[in-house]
Amino acid sequence: MPTRSLVKDILARESAPSDESLLIQGWVRTRRDSKACSFIAVNDGSCLASLQIVVDHGIPGSDDLPEATTGASVEIEGSLVPSQGQGQKWEILATRLTLVGAAPDDYPLQKKGHTPEFLRSIAHLRPRSNLYGAVFRVRSRLAFAIHQFFQERSFVYVHTPIITASDCEGAGEMFRVTTLEGAEFTAPNAAAADFFGRATYLTVSGQLEGETFACALSNIYTFGPTFRAENSNTTRHASEFWMIEPEMAFCDLEGDMNLAEEMVKYLAADALEQCAEDLALFNSFVDKGLLERLRFVIERPFQRVPYTEAVEILKASGKEFDYPVAWGLNLQSEHERYLTEEHFKCPVTVYNYPKDIKPFYMRTNDDGKTVTAMDLLVPGIGEIVGGSQREERLDVLLENMKAHGLSKDDYWWYIDLRRYGTVPHAGFGLGFERMLMFVTGIPNIRDVIPFPRTPGSAPF
Ligand code: 4AD
Ligand code: MG
């Protein structure tokens, strides 16, 4: 019986016993015919490279060669031999070819380069292309590295609910979850008749639930899907994305910023080490400065600047921004990018934002005007992390909730955390896709999500 092998493992082999029979399964990338034999490049997605298969005309199954065209799936039995051609160490000398599934010539992924827009329109075939195979391998590795980062530090992984009744960020950008239809939905008291007996939504953040677990298990993290019905059609916003939200008890803003910076560096270093081949592809074809930037990010300390000072820097920059810069206004993406790309020329954490533009749960500073919020900004993207120290003082929290028009009855369980054994605590949210954009250099968030959902678009 031949041993089934992934291309990745074969290409990493040091030696090849001559009596060993291997089974390779994958999709034909190209086929080239000569008089006595054909050369098939087979890709199985386990790595960027395809494996060259030499099929002598006359072996069992070689009658099917004409149908082994680009996109067809094949199984090959054969032995590993040192490659005659350039570039690869090994090739397979086939002893049997099986055509598993043909691909007619209207197969959409032909050899010529395709635009990201076109490939998004065939999202079911997109991962078979070199670039997107690489993106989604890196995505998988990065998810693993995130767990590794936290597990190495004894953080406990918590699954927070996807269906929730609370709007953590207070922006009202929630998708309603309902089983009501038509007139039922608009009837008075409709929510009470709904599936859960109240209005429910897809979560915008697992933070509030995460806080309850941090106030029991000390250091926790969540990692799950997040939904925002925000009508912003930008290259950095998706309606469904994944977020990592650590929360630490007995932790202040300083500890929070330390963890965020450490995590971004750790993930960049992991990708450089574990996904070298895929990152080299991005460096050649997507973003020529990628590898240099990632190395720089890992080696150098990040900068930190209070919001108030960041506003002064922006005002003094002499740049013409589309959006106004003034104390009390939110920083826009163009401002964030100026700070990180032009002023500091490295990742920068902006902290202590005006109280009025931030959610109810952030801790009020002694000045009464600012809260312990922090955003970590990176070149090319802007905000990648948003976090804060939480308001642990019951009286101040209640006041903040009142100012935000939130009902005590809805958040009684969150308030209870401050009534029973309250502790200073802090956490943040890292946008998983934004981190992926950062380590791949891919400029559009749609291209790091297998099936992206954005306003007006959910085709698969
Ligand atoms: O800044 P945000 O809204 O913060 C929170 O949700 C807090 N509850 C986090 C916490 O303190 N536990 O979102 C956190 C991060 C952003 O910095 C960004 O990277 C990402 O989530 N993000 C998005 N990513 C893709 N598409 C969107 N629409 C996003 N909105 C936020
Ligand atoms: Mg934010």
Side-chain angles (χ1 to χ4, degrees), residues 316-335:
S317 70
K319 290 275 280 195
E320 291 257 341
F321 295 112
D322 293 340
Y323 290 87
V325 176
W327 200 97
L329 298 181
N330 239 324
L331 297 184
Q332 301 295 326
S333 169
E334 56 174 347
H335 308 137

Side-chain angles (χ1 to χ4, degrees), residues 266-277:
Y266 180 99
L267 296 177
D270 184 88
L272 267 180
E273 196 182 312
Q274 301 292 331
C275 306
E277 191 187 42

Side-chain angles (χ1 to χ4, degrees), residues 6 10 62 89 111 120 133 156 185 217-218 231 267 272 278 293 329 334 343 356 379 412 415 457:
L6 293 175
I10 290 178
S62 60
K89 193 163 150 199
K111 198 153 192 271
R120 262 175 241 146
V156 176
F185 192 78
L217 304 179
S218 294
N231 201 1
L267 296 177
L272 267 180
D278 292 329
R293 190 165 66 246
L329 298 181
E334 56 174 347
H343 187 82
D356 291 345
W412 64 273
I415 296 166
S457 176

Side-chain angles (χ1 to χ4, degrees), residues 169 228 358 375 383 385-386:
E169 295 308 298
R228 304 230 171 144
K358 290 293 181 184
D375 278 359
E383 179 189 342
V385 164

Side-chain angles (χ1 to χ4, degrees), residues 91-159:
E91 61 191 24
I92 297 282
L93 193 56
T95 51
R96 173 187 298 276
L97 167 74
T98 309
L99 179 76
V100 178
D105 1 313
D106 61 351
Y107 180 62
L109 276 177
Q110 295 301 333
K111 198 153 192 271
K112 68 177 169 78
H114 297 293
T115 64
E117 291 76 17
F118 171 72
L119 289 168
R120 262 175 241 146
S121 76
I122 51 163
H124 58 306
L125 297 171
R126 186 169 68 151
R128 288 199 203 172
S129 66
N130 277 341
L131 186 67
Y132 292 95
V135 167
F136 296 115
R137 279 189 298 274
V138 174
R139 187 175 170 117
S140 165
R141 175 67 211 188
L142 205 66
F144 176 80
I146 281 159
H147 286 294
Q148 186 168 275
F149 175 83
F150 287 116
Q151 298 288 333
E152 281 171 3
R153 287 161 182 74
S154 299
F155 279 60
V156 176
Y157 180 30
V158 178
H159 294 109

Side-chain angles (χ1 to χ4, degrees), residues 202-311:
L202 294 178
T203 184
V204 296
S205 162
Q207 176 196 322
L208 302 186
E209 293 90 347
E211 282 187 48
T212 69
F213 272 70
C215 292
L217 304 179
S218 294
N219 290 341
I220 65 98
Y221 68 106
T222 73
F223 184 10
T226 308
F227 305 87
R228 304 230 171 144
E230 181 182 7
N231 201 1
S232 34
N233 244 315
T234 79
T235 53
R236 289 162 297 102
H237 290 87
S239 312
E240 177 176 336
F241 61 99
W242 282 56
M243 188 155 55
I244 298 101
E245 296 187 277
E247 189 73 30
M248 294 167 286
F250 304 98
C251 180
D252 60 9
L253 183 68
E254 171 89 17
D256 201 34
M257 294 194 284
N258 289 346
L259 187 79
E261 293 174 0
E262 192 184 335
M263 182 171 185
V264 168
K265 281 177 188 258
Y266 180 99
L267 296 177
D270 184 88
L272 267 180
E273 196 182 312
Q274 301 292 331
C275 306
E277 191 187 42
D278 292 329
L279 262 53
L281 179 82
F282 305 137
N283 196 65
S284 303
F285 295 104
V286 179
D287 176 351
K288 298 248 185 284
L290 178 70
L291 294 178
E292 195 188 316
R293 190 165 66 246
L294 290 178
R295 286 193 199 108
F296 177 86
V297 160
I298 294 163
E299 282 159 20
R300 306 289 182 83
F302 293 2
Q303 295 289 318
R304 287 182 190 172
V305 60
Y307 166 89
T308 303
E309 208 177 305
V311 168

